[in-house]
Structures are given as C-alpha cells and as structure tokens.
Amino acid sequence: VLLLGDPGLGKSELLRALARLSPRGVYVSGNSSSVAGLTASVVRDSSGEFALEAGALILADSGLCCIDEFDKMGADQSALLEAMEQQTVSIAKAGIVCSLNARCSILASANPKDSSYDPK
C-alpha cells in the first residue's frame, strides 16, 4: 500500500504507530536505507567467518514493514521487487547462497512530485 500526500499530513507518524502496533513491525526511512538494510548483508563475525545480518524485510517476516520517504529511495526501490512478488529475498554473497522468507506486508509513504499535489 502506498500513502501519497503533501508534506506535513502525518504520514510518518501513522507509519510509526502502525509499526509499533504490529507484533513484527519494522519502520525504516527510505532516504537513509540501503539495499542491504532492506534485504540482508554479509558480515564477518569475530571468528572471521561470514554471517548473514537480516534487513528490514527479513525482520518483518509475517508482519509489517513500513517504509517512509519512499519517493527519495531512488534505485533502491528495485530491491523490493522480489520480496513483493515472491515473498522471499535471495542472497548470493561471499559464498553464501540462500533464500530467506520475507512474507510481510509493505506500507510505504511518499510525497507527490515537486512536494505538492497539483490537480492540473
């Protein structure tokens, strides 16, 4: 679901409240999120081995992922395609190949083009 409205209407507050209400709710801001932050990243643990670190869509499995400022995400929006279509996130990094569940609802908010609704 996409909430589209002029700045100052309370879209961000609504998303934060819904993320708090949902048992598996996650709130992220689109202008500061990366593809790895939304899906998963590979990190080295203290022993030097590679490990997966879950992103917002994986953490919100069977819950709600609220993405604020969706219009400012740019090319990172393409990271959501597989999660929305297949309900999974595929990872192939540093020798780790797996498919993680991302069965979540996505609620996003955005401002109109030029930050104001134009009825013309």
Side-chain angles (χ1 to χ4, degrees):
V1 175
L2 176 66
L3 299 173
L4 186 66
D6 288 344
L9 289 180
K11 300 180 300 291
S12 299
E13 289 300 317
L14 178 63
L15 289 181
R16 283 190 195 104
L18 290 171
R20 281 192 306 267
L21 282 174
S22 176
R24 304 261 327 224
V26 176
Y27 172 86
V28 294
S29 179
N31 57 357
S32 62
S33 296
S34 64
V35 173
L38 290 172
T39 57
S41 62
V42 176
V43 296
R44 280 192 193 260
D45 61 11
S46 59
S47 67
E49 296 290 321
F50 288 110
L52 281 178
E53 195 169 274
L57 294 171
I58 308 302
L59 293 173
D61 186 35
S62 299
L64 178 67
C65 183
C66 299
I67 304 173
D68 197 10
E69 303 290 344
F70 194 71
D71 54 317
K72 294 175 182 64
M73 283 184 68
D76 292 341
Q77 291 175 353
S78 63
L80 299 173
L81 290 176
E82 181 187 2
M84 291 192 294
E85 289 177 355
Q86 307 299 324
Q87 300 283 287
T88 60
V89 172
S90 299
I91 303 294
K93 298 177 183 176
I96 298 174
V97 179
C98 64
S99 182
L100 304 168
N101 287 330
R103 302 165 297 194
C104 61
S105 298
I106 298 175
L107 180 61
S109 71
N111 294 324
K113 184 179 176 185
D114 299 328
S115 295
S116 177
Y117 176 70
D118 185 11
K120 294 178 187 178

